[in-house]
Amino acid sequence: MGLPFLTFWPSLVFASLTLRLRYAAIFALLAAMVSQRLFGGGAWFRDVNTARVVFFGLFAMSAAMIVTAGTLLRRSVRALALVNQQQAHYNRELRHRVRNMLTLIQALASRGPKAASPMDFFKEFSQRIEGLAAASDLLQIGAEAEGRLPQLAQQTLAPFDRNGRIQISGEPCMLPGASCIPLIMALHELCTNAVKHGALSNERGRVSLTWFIGPDGTTLYVLWAEKDGPPVSTPAREGLGTRLLMPQPGLEGVDLNFDPTGVWCEFKIEGAGPLPA
């Protein structure tokens, strides 16, 4: 075979690490034929004998093992790189959500009712923290960054829905990641107020939550509407929940109206889109 033929093996290792399995096998066949012609003294089966057949079988098995091992190693390296990339993405997402939560907690603490006693403030603040925890449970770190409607709305409103009194309708769509927690917290606040003072505080009241995507294909409009509840009046003071029902990052527009016949609130969210078919 000759010493120069040994250059075939390093080149085969390099090819198996850089090429797909199909192309690495083709390279191995072509390189073996060229190497045999240049350094092997003629075609393999010019003189067929037992030694040549055994040698060819060992050669083919060795080449196949190198190509297979190189291909598996290449796939493992690419899979590891993908895992590292996903881990970096999840860490960025985790840091982003933690910062958002801390900002929201700070806002809730700083905008508490000024005339409330410490115990009243503690109870109301604790309820908001529980709502924030429930909102966070709906979003899984490491899953998709966006939230989906109607799933997100159904899970948020389910604890408040008694006998199907909250009606949900709208086309399936995706929410940008920055809008998920603000919308969940806003819906949680509206539900809490409806149970305490609004349409869900009696036996006849109903709530409808509807949404649609505007003509531009990226702006989502969400409408909360209450009816058949007790007469509504504008609150005399601003509570902790006021911060949740104001325009903020993720909720570009919030229009809250205390209509005497029932509270309604419209949200505008930029960056949404319909789910692919």
Side-chain angles (χ1 to χ4, degrees):
M1 179 173 62
L3 184 60
F5 193 83
L6 295 178
T7 58
F8 167 76
W9 300 109
S11 63
L12 181 57
V13 172
F14 178 80
S16 64
L17 291 175
T18 56
L19 301 177
R20 294 183 179 180
L21 178 60
R22 179 189 305 175
Y23 301 112
I26 294 175
F27 173 85
L29 178 61
L30 295 178
M33 294 174 61
V34 172
S35 299
Q36 177 65 22
R37 285 291 185 178
L38 293 178
F39 311 118
W44 267 312
F45 298 113
R46 183 179 58 184
D47 299 321
V48 179
N49 54 52
T50 303
R52 280 183 171 271
V53 172
V54 172
F55 173 78
F56 178 79
L58 293 175
F59 171 82
M61 183 176 63
S62 301
M65 291 176 61
I66 292 177
V67 171
T68 302
T71 301
L72 293 177
L73 180 59
R74 184 177 65 88
R75 291 178 179 175
S76 299
V77 171
R78 294 184 62 183
L80 182 60
L82 180 60
V83 169
N84 290 336
Q85 183 180 1
Q86 290 177 340
Q87 185 177 13
H89 170 74
Y90 297 156
N91 287 335
R92 289 194 300 269
E93 178 71 12
L94 178 60
R95 290 195 300 269
H96 175 70
R97 292 187 181 179
V98 169
R99 285 197 300 267
N100 286 347
M101 289 181 187
L102 293 177
T103 301
L104 185 55
I105 291 174
Q106 184 180 18
L108 293 176
S110 62
R111 293 174 178 264
K114 298 180 180 179
S117 66
M119 184 56 67
D120 291 337
F121 174 81
F122 172 76
K123 291 181 180 179
E124 192 170 355
F125 184 73
S126 297
Q127 291 177 354
R128 307 308 175 196
I129 297 299
E130 291 176 359
L132 178 60
S136 301
D137 289 342
L138 297 180
L139 301 175
Q140 299 179 3
I141 298 295
E144 55 197 347
E146 298 86 358
R148 298 190 176 196
L149 290 175
Q151 290 88 345
L152 184 145
Q154 291 171 341
Q155 293 177 326
T156 303
L157 304 183
F160 302 91
D161 193 8
R162 294 183 296 179
N163 301 323
R165 297 171 64 188
I166 301 179
Q167 301 296 321
I168 300 176
S169 63
E171 60 181 307
C173 61
M174 295 288 289
L175 295 173
S179 300
C180 294
I181 285 184
L183 180 60
I184 291 173
M185 292 296 292
L187 294 178
H188 188 276
E189 174 64 19
L190 289 171
C191 285
T192 301
N193 291 336
V195 169
K196 289 182 177 180
H197 315 291
L200 300 182
S201 64
N202 61 16
E203 298 300 327
R204 299 185 302 106
R206 293 184 176 274
V207 174
S208 66
L209 181 70
T210 58
W211 62 86
F212 66 92
I213 297 178
D216 61 357
T218 61
T219 302
L220 178 68
Y221 297 92
V222 182
L223 178 62
W224 168 280
E226 301 180 21
K227 61 180 180 180
D228 296 333
V232 174
S233 59
T234 302
R237 63 178 179 87
E238 293 185 355
L240 289 175
T242 304
R243 173 66 177 86
L244 304 176
L245 299 175
M246 295 174 58
Q248 55 188 286
L251 295 179
E252 285 72 20
V254 180
D255 187 7
L256 177 62
N257 191 291
F258 293 94
D259 189 283
T261 60
V263 173
W264 61 266
C265 185
E266 184 179 46
F267 303 98
K268 183 176 73 172
I269 297 175
E270 301 289 350
L275 286 176

